[in-house]
Amino acid sequence: MTTEKKPTVIKKYANRRLYHTGTSTYVTLEDLAGMVRVGEDFVVFDAKSGEDITRSVLAQIIFEEEGKEGQSLLPVAFLRQLIRFYGDSVEALVPSYLEFSIENFTREQQKLREKMAQSFGPAAAFHAMEEQVRSNMAMFSEALRMFTPFAQKNDEAERQKTSSSASMSDNAAELDILKKQMADMQAKLDAIAGEKSEEIK
C-alpha cells in the first residue's frame, strides 16, 4: 500500500530566511525554484504566526525570475489584464481558467516542442501556442457549461422568452395589417354607399 508523500515544510523567519525542515538547512528562493522545476512539492509557513504563505513566496519566485535578463515569460499586456481582473465580476473564474490552461499546456508541451522543432521562426511557434490557447478556451468553456446547469437553463429560458416575445410581436404586426385592411374596406364601402345615395337623390 503506497502513501502519498507530504509536501516539504519550509519555514520563513522574520529575517526573511527560509528554513528547509527536511534537510535542516537554510535555503534561498533559487533553491525553492529548483525544487519546483524537479517536481518537489513544498509549503511555506510563517515561522511566527504559522500562516501558510506559499502563494506569496511562489509569487516572489516568479518576480525574481521575471527580473532576470532574458527570462521574462509574462507579457506586459497579460500582467495589465490580470490586474484589471482583480475586483471584476469574473474574478472568481480567472484562477480556474489559468490553472486549467497551464495544466493542459503542461500535458501538451511535448507536442508543442515537436511542432516548434519542425517549424522555423518564432511566428510558427507562436501559431502553435495560439492554437493551444484557443483549444484551452474551448475546453474550459465546455467544462464551465457542464458545471453550470442553472445558468444553461436560464439561457434557454431567456431564449424561449425572446422567441415568445418575437412571436407576439409578429402576431401584433399581423393584427395591425388586418385592422388596416378592414379600415380600407370600410372606407370603400362608405364611398360606394355615398355614391348610391347620390344616385337615388
Side-chain angles (χ1 to χ4, degrees):
M1 183 176 179
T2 58
T3 57
E4 186 177 351
K5 184 180 178 181
K6 293 183 179 181
T8 299
V9 174
I10 307 294
K11 292 184 178 181
K12 186 176 183 179
Y13 290 90
N15 59 5
R16 297 186 179 182
R17 298 193 71 184
L18 299 162
Y19 184 76
H20 191 306
T21 60
T23 59
S24 299
T25 58
Y26 286 101
V27 293
T28 64
L29 289 176
E30 185 64 35
D31 295 326
L32 295 185
M35 291 171 65
V36 172
R37 292 189 183 99
V38 298
E40 184 176 350
D41 196 12
F42 62 82
V43 290
V44 185
F45 294 101
D46 184 283
K48 185 177 182 179
S49 67
E51 179 186 1
D52 186 340
I53 56 174
T54 307
R55 185 190 302 271
S56 63
V57 170
L58 291 175
Q60 191 175 356
I61 291 173
I62 293 174
F63 177 79
E64 294 287 337
E65 293 294 327
E66 286 290 308
K68 295 178 181 178
E69 187 175 355
Q71 288 286 99
S72 179
L73 293 178
L74 303 176
V76 172
F78 170 80
L79 293 173
R80 285 177 175 161
Q81 185 58 58
L82 196 60
I83 291 171
R84 292 190 189 104
F85 279 133
Y86 285 100
D88 191 272
S89 58
V90 298
E91 179 182 3
L93 298 176
V94 174
S96 298
Y97 172 69
L98 293 178
E99 185 175 6
F100 178 87
S101 296
I102 200 66
E103 286 180 355
N104 195 46
F105 182 85
T106 301
R107 286 195 301 269
E108 299 293 325
Q109 64 177 322
Q110 185 55 42
K111 293 180 181 178
L112 286 172
R113 291 179 194 275
E114 292 174 358
K115 286 183 179 180
M116 292 169 68
Q118 295 169 0
S119 305
F120 299 94
F126 177 79
H127 179 67
M129 293 182 69
E130 190 178 29
E131 287 182 351
Q132 186 63 39
V133 170
R134 278 200 296 265
S135 175
N136 287 351
M137 191 61 190
M139 291 174 64
F140 181 76
S141 298
E142 179 63 19
L144 190 63
R145 184 187 65 79
M146 292 173 63
F147 284 101
T148 52
F150 295 109
Q152 186 180 0
K153 289 181 180 179
N154 289 338
D155 290 343
E156 183 62 29
E158 188 64 29
R159 283 195 296 270
Q160 291 178 356
K161 182 179 178 182
T162 302
S163 176
S164 177
S165 298
S167 179
M168 291 176 64
S169 179
D170 291 342
N171 290 338
E174 290 176 0
L175 185 60
D176 288 339
I177 292 173
L178 288 174
K179 286 181 179 180
K180 186 177 184 303
Q181 290 176 345
M182 290 178 67
D184 291 342
M185 188 176 295
Q186 186 64 48
K188 289 179 180 179
L189 288 173
D190 289 342
I192 292 173
E195 291 174 359
K196 292 294 183 182
S197 178
E198 289 293 329
E199 289 176 359
I200 293 173
K201 290 179 180 179

